[in-house]
Amino acid sequence: MDNLIEIRWHGRGGQGAKTASLLLADAAFNTGKYIQGFPEYGPERMGAPITAYNRISNTPITVHSNIYEPDFVVVVDDTLLETVPVTEGLKESGAIIINTTKTPEYLKKVLKNYKGNIYTIDARKISIETLGKYFPNTPMLASIVKVSGIMTDEALLEDMQSSFKHKFAKKPEVIEGNMKALKISLQEITKIQ
């Protein structure tokens, strides 16, 4: 498959990892890509670890399984770093993106010296500043787009503006905060050395 990108999301129930993976799939589809976005269901409940996946390609996708060797991993909740093998199968040519304020030394240790790129963002701070509540999925969505290059920043912002207008038609005040969260996140994603 031409330019196939596989992404695995790790979060907790209620944090929006599944929603972010579906929003990413919609946005990529709207740029002309072939997509898959799906969660892995188990006994999910609020706060329980969950996994979601994306496949994005320029050609039709014929694989229909979980993703075992992702190009990118998105960790929405850094408390999962010590309990879930988030780097399992992660290609060293890819990257992991973590919502965290932990030190680079801690991250390298807990990721067992993963050799690929590690990016961090403080999605809590951004979402509280822009939305008034902790919704990490919008900053994490912007982060994976920025790091992976799936689409341009402009294409993401344009698509999300339209998506949020539809999704939050009865709550238009939420649109501005989400758009601001996306814009800030595109600037604040940081690669650790």
Side-chain angles (χ1 to χ4, degrees):
M1 278 170 268
D2 189 36
N3 295 326
L4 176 67
I5 295 173
E6 295 183 312
I7 301 166
R8 187 173 65 218
W9 297 74
H10 293 282
R12 292 190 180 277
Q15 292 179 326
K18 179 184 111 177
T19 300
S21 77
L22 297 177
L23 285 170
L24 177 60
D26 286 345
F29 177 79
N30 292 335
T31 66
K33 306 254 191 231
Y34 292 89
I35 56 97
Q36 289 179 354
F38 55 98
E40 178 179 39
Y41 283 111
E44 271 73 25
R45 62 196 180 283
M46 193 68 93
I50 66 109
T51 309
Y53 304 93
N54 287 110
R55 281 193 181 92
I56 300 168
S57 179
N58 293 330
T59 58
I61 300 170
T62 56
V63 178
H64 299 283
S65 67
N66 286 349
I67 294 171
Y68 301 102
E69 294 182 348
D71 299 290
F72 300 96
V73 166
V74 181
V75 181
V76 181
D77 187 316
D78 67 2
T79 65
L80 296 171
L81 295 174
E82 294 191 23
T83 59
V84 174
V86 295
T87 58
E88 186 174 22
L90 177 57
K91 296 174 184 167
E92 288 187 7
S93 59
I96 185 167
I97 303 161
I98 308 165
N99 170 21
T100 191
T101 57
K102 302 246 192 292
T103 66
E105 295 74 29
Y106 167 82
L107 294 173
K108 288 175 184 176
K109 181 180 162 219
V110 79
L111 295 174
K112 299 185 178 29
N113 296 312
Y114 167 66
K115 305 259 188 291
N117 292 320
I118 303 169
Y119 292 84
T120 63
I121 189 160
D122 188 349
R124 176 179 297 277
K125 177 179 76 82
I126 293 168
S127 66
I128 289 173
E129 280 176 10
T130 58
L131 300 164
K133 290 185 177 172
Y134 182 43
F135 295 113
N137 58 341
T138 300
M140 299 312 289
L141 172 62
S143 299
I144 185 60
V145 168
K146 187 69 168 186
V147 171
S148 68
I150 291 167
M151 66 188 75
T152 65
D153 296 358
E154 295 75 24
L156 173 71
L157 294 171
E158 185 178 316
D159 190 79
M160 288 297 101
Q161 179 78 38
S162 173
S163 178
F164 290 154
K165 277 184 183 169
H166 175 73
K167 183 175 179 165
F168 300 121
K170 295 193 186 326
K171 296 192 268 184
E173 68 280 1
V174 177
I175 298 168
E176 184 182 340
N178 273 288
M179 291 306 297
K180 201 180 279 186
L182 287 171
K183 290 173 186 170
I184 291 171
S185 300
L186 289 167
Q187 301 305 312
E188 291 194 8
I189 182 77
T190 306
K191 181 178 180 181
I192 69 169
Q193 301 302 324

